[in-house]
Amino acid sequence: ASKRAGAGRHHWYSADLDDQAGDEGRLIDDLRTALDTGQLRVAYQPIVTLPDGALVAVEALIRWHHPERGPISPAVFIPLAEQTGIIHEVGAWVLRTACAQAGAWRASSVDVAPRRVSVNVSARQLADPGFAELVASVLTETGLFPYELVVEVTETAVFGGGQAVRTVKRLHELGVRIALDDFGTGHSSLGLLQTVPVDILKVDKSFVDHITTEGRQAVIASALIQVSQGLGLEAVAEGVETADQADELYRLGYRLAQGYLFGRPVEADEVLPARGSLR
Ligand code: C2E
Ligand code: MG
Ligand code: MG
Ligand code: MG
């Protein structure tokens, strides 16, 4: 129970921790049921070009509507799923669903359909020596080309080297694009660029939030886009909420962005009409 129990580390009363552990145990049981009974969904959030806001890709984000508790954030249940190992099943389900959807968009031959789908993959999935082959077989099943799939990994997940890095290298050899998620917030962000094959930097929202009012953030965001350009990588600015932020990012050199300004995560059939232009 590391992540959430960590937040309660300073509680003196073990009863609190017991309650929390019981609560997490129930949630995990419920998640197993959710997987079997179709309570899980995948939402898709647009990734657009700057400055025109054209849809080029989507990020797949898992959604769970709990029958009694209502929507539960992946920030809450994904860490639990990781600790218990159920992430392997949940993650494989997200991967299949997202790849099948991307294949359907391509087959629809709508010219504004997203050309790529990004899927978040957790540390524990990357540590599985069979994961790259799972991806390969899902691509075959769904008829998706490897370059139409982006696997988003966090710096923390690949920091330790070992199997996680071998998995990323194997995926990259298959032609799958690799994105470093929440870039700049993890361990050894720049160092990892030397050891892990990376195609895309997803510059964390925390470098975007105050970009128009805090000079230091603009300096960092500028440095990160220069690193990405110098290394021939794509950079996606995450968490863009205002037109002023988008303008500033464009001025700094960003050509790809994601955030509520352009569209929230929505059901697959809402992606195309939901897309908006800046103009
Ligand atoms: P992430 O991969 O960094 O995804 C971006 C998160 O930021 C999403 O939260 C998205 O809804 C939110 N977001 C996007 N634009 C904005 C914005 O303009 N403002 C604000 N305030 N938020 C924005 P979400 O969907 O709650 O997911 C949270 C995290 O849970 C994700 O962060 C990712 O780490 C994890 N996650 C989600 N789906 C999956 C999954 O299928 N597998 C795994 N392993 N992790 C997942
Ligand atoms: Mg992500
Ligand atoms: Mg992210
Ligand atoms: Mg983030």
Side-chain angles (χ1 to χ4, degrees):
S2 70
K3 229 182 188 165
R4 286 186 63 206
R9 196 187 299 148
H10 301 294
H11 281 275
W12 292 102
Y13 307 103
S14 61
D16 282 3
L17 291 176
D18 288 350
D19 284 355
Q20 195 173 33
D23 197 45
E24 292 182 351
R26 270 192 298 280
L27 210 53
I28 285 301
D29 290 344
D30 290 353
L31 183 57
R32 287 206 174 84
T33 309
L35 193 58
D36 296 338
T37 60
Q39 293 167 21
L40 300 180
R41 311 282 303 172
V42 176
Y44 298 89
Q45 185 178 29
I47 296 172
V48 305
T49 55
L50 295 177
D52 51 319
L55 178 74
V56 288
V58 288
E59 179 174 0
L61 294 158
I62 193 168
R63 292 292 176 263
W64 179 14
H65 193 97
H66 190 287
E68 285 114 39
R69 301 188 189 195
I72 300 181
S73 167
V76 170
F77 71 83
I78 290 289
L80 292 178
E82 276 220 66
Q83 287 157 30
T84 55
I86 194 179
I87 191 68
H88 295 296
E89 286 161 82
V90 171
W93 176 81
V94 171
L95 180 69
R96 279 206 176 82
T97 305
C99 288
Q101 181 59 54
W105 274 318
R106 170 152 49 70
S108 76
S109 66
V110 175
D111 60 1
V112 293
R115 297 194 308 265
R116 298 197 306 215
V117 65
S118 259
V119 174
N120 293 283
V121 170
S122 75
R124 187 118 179 220
Q125 291 173 278
L126 293 175
D128 170 6
F131 183 72
E133 295 324 306
L134 170 72
V135 171
S137 60
V138 169
L139 290 172
T140 306
E141 272 170 40
T142 56
L144 212 62
F145 296 112
Y147 57 80
E148 294 177 305
L149 175 65
V150 178
V151 162
E152 296 196 6
V153 305
T154 62
E155 297 159 310
T156 315
V158 289
F159 177 62
Q163 181 59 48
V165 171
R166 281 195 291 279
T167 300
V168 169
K169 286 182 172 159
R170 179 74 192 120
L171 289 170
H172 196 251
E173 282 165 14
L174 290 172
V176 172
R177 308 269 172 94
I178 309 298
L180 271 185
D181 205 355
D182 306 333
F183 186 72
T185 63
H187 299 284
S188 182
S189 303
L190 298 176
L192 284 176
L193 299 178
Q194 301 192 74
T195 53
V196 181
V198 175
D199 305 288
I200 301 162
L201 302 183
K202 296 201 72 177
V203 173
D204 192 67
K205 181 179 186 305
S206 61
F207 302 113
V208 172
D209 281 341
H210 304 289
I211 198 172
T212 58
T213 53
E214 283 177 27
R216 298 169 67 89
Q217 277 204 359
V219 169
I220 296 170
S222 172
L224 295 178
I225 190 67
Q226 285 174 47
V227 167
S228 87
Q229 286 170 350
L231 296 175
L233 310 178
E234 289 181 14
V236 179
E238 293 193 289
V240 181
E241 295 181 343
T242 70
D244 285 349
Q245 289 170 341
D247 288 346
E248 177 66 2
L249 287 162
Y250 179 72
R251 198 183 67 76
L252 294 174
Y254 285 82
R255 295 296 177 264
L256 292 168
Q258 177 178 358
Y260 294 169
L261 175 66
F262 306 103
R264 292 186 177 246
V266 291
E267 291 277 326
D269 60 6
E270 295 170 76
V271 167
L272 302 186
R275 120 190 196 283
S277 161
L278 269 186
R279 277 173 280 169

